[in-house]
Amino acid sequence: MQTPTKTTEISTENAADSQANEAHQEQLIRLQFYATAPYPCSYLDGRLARSQVATPAHQITNDHYSQLIKKGFRRSGEFVYRPYCDHCQACIAVRTEVEKFSPKRSHRRALVQHNNLQVSVAPLSFVQEHFELYQRYQRARHAGGGMDQDDRDQYAQFLLQSRVDTRLIEFRDPDQVLRMLSIIDILDDGLSSVYTFFDPDVAHASYGTYNVLWQIAKTKELGLPFLYLGYWIEASRKMAYKNHFQPLQTLIDGAWMPMADNNANKRNCETTQIRNDPQ
């Protein structure tokens, strides 16, 4: 496997010791959690969704978030949430076990195809060039989904506001044309893929695949075990790509287990959710 990580440095500290982790668990208990009102589901047509939100946002540190993501939470800007739907449990948190990952032929093709991309860490701040690429990506890939109408402030709230250890990664071609941008969080046991967008006008490109492979390689380089990929929904075509980066672990009833072992526990939209507040 070619490793497309030679051109950028991402530093991280070692995971906290067991005593510090116990302190973090105690701090989680002090957080409050509330359920939102129902809203239209972004992934399954005709469904209503709800979220459970962790508050207060300004007290959620990187240590807190590292614990919350293990319990199925994600973040959008400073908004930390997890699915909390009334009669649906289709959203399943997934993470790739990076040491066991072995690239497939299609992965190797993507690595060769885009191995000339130059990677750098940029400040987590507004750049017009980034925003214009985001707009082109949304209009081409997610037209009519709402995010294609995001203005500058909505973009910044979504991707540039963070209270955790976040990196903004640029991918440029040899002519210094910006082709892709990725937001990642560095956690105590892995990287979390927050959001990636890329040039939608390059024919036959495999930017999305290449980016996940880059993140897997970077997670390995940092000596961390997992790449958190967010939620996987079996019935959603938008989520299907995550299944290509096995082995995946899935969070079922509060426990992480290999995806191959949870067939008997698959969730669908007729399953009543068991709600447990973080402990």
Side-chain angles (χ1 to χ4, degrees):
M1 174 180 177
Q2 289 178 266
T3 304
T5 59
K6 298 177 181 177
T7 58
T8 185
E9 295 287 337
I10 298 179
S11 61
T12 183
E13 297 178 356
N14 292 328
D17 58 25
S18 59
Q19 184 176 3
N21 282 330
E22 290 179 4
H24 299 155
Q25 291 287 348
E26 291 178 2
Q27 290 173 325
L28 282 183
I29 296 174
R30 299 191 188 105
L31 295 177
Q32 296 182 350
F33 301 86
Y34 72 88
T36 67
Y39 56 87
C41 180
S42 302
Y43 303 108
L44 299 175
D45 292 339
R47 300 286 183 176
L48 291 177
R50 299 177 74 195
S51 295
Q52 184 182 49
V53 182
T55 61
H58 69 274
Q59 291 187 10
I60 300 176
T61 66
N62 204 71
D63 292 331
H64 294 140
Y65 188 58
S66 291
Q67 300 302 315
L68 286 168
I69 202 168
K70 296 172 189 174
K71 300 178 184 296
F73 283 80
R74 298 288 291 174
R75 74 172 186 87
S76 174
E78 297 181 358
F79 182 81
V80 178
Y81 69 96
R82 67 177 176 182
Y84 199 68
C85 302
D86 291 323
H87 302 291
C88 180
Q89 209 169 6
C91 293
I92 300 175
V94 295
R95 62 187 187 185
T96 295
E97 298 180 79
V98 300
E99 286 298 331
K100 297 180 181 179
F101 173 79
S102 180
K104 299 178 181 179
R105 181 179 300 177
S106 60
H107 296 153
R108 292 192 289 269
R109 285 199 300 266
L111 288 170
V112 171
Q113 181 181 8
H114 298 302
N115 200 40
N116 65 343
L117 290 177
Q118 300 170 11
V119 188
S120 62
V121 180
L124 192 66
S125 59
F126 182 85
V127 175
Q128 184 65 28
E129 180 187 28
H130 297 171
F131 180 50
E132 291 174 359
L133 179 61
Y134 175 84
Q135 289 181 309
R136 287 201 292 123
Y137 172 80
Q138 295 295 344
R139 290 166 184 167
R141 293 301 184 99
H142 302 293
M147 294 174 68
D148 55 328
Q149 301 298 318
D150 281 359
D151 59 22
R152 170 175 173 163
D153 289 340
Q154 290 169 312
Y155 162 79
Q157 289 172 5
F158 174 37
L159 294 179
L160 304 181
Q161 292 185 5
S162 172
R163 293 184 178 274
V164 300
D165 193 359
T166 302
R167 301 289 189 277
L168 188 156
I169 313 296
E170 291 183 342
F171 297 80
R172 296 182 180 273
D173 69 16
D175 296 324
Q176 294 303 298
V177 177
L178 180 66
R179 294 301 184 187
M180 182 163 55
L181 191 142
S182 190
I183 307 291
I184 60 175
D185 293 335
I186 302 177
L187 310 174
D188 65 7
D189 69 342
L191 298 184
S192 173
S193 184
V194 178
Y195 201 75
T196 295
F197 54 94
F198 49 81
D199 190 335
D201 301 322
V202 179
H204 310 298
S206 299
Y207 289 133
T209 296
Y210 178 85
N211 186 272
V212 177
L213 295 170
W214 183 91
Q215 292 188 39
I216 289 173
K218 183 56 64 176
T219 306
K220 286 185 179 181
E221 182 182 309
L222 294 172
L224 299 171
F226 302 115
L227 174 62
Y228 288 85
L229 293 174
Y231 302 116
W232 174 75
I233 302 173
E234 187 176 16
S236 174
R237 294 178 61 186
K238 295 178 183 178
M239 301 292 191
Y241 76 93
K242 299 180 183 183
N243 202 33
H244 299 158
F245 299 95
Q246 299 281 355
L248 284 173
Q249 290 185 356
T250 58
L251 185 64
I252 302 295
D253 294 334
W256 289 96
M257 63 180 68
M259 176 174 275
D261 293 346
N262 71 17
N263 290 334
N265 296 301
K266 280 186 178 179
R267 297 298 191 259
N268 55 57
C269 283
E270 285 68 47
T271 302
T272 300
Q273 184 177 30
I274 300 174
R275 296 172 174 170
N276 294 314
D277 287 340
Q279 300 274 323

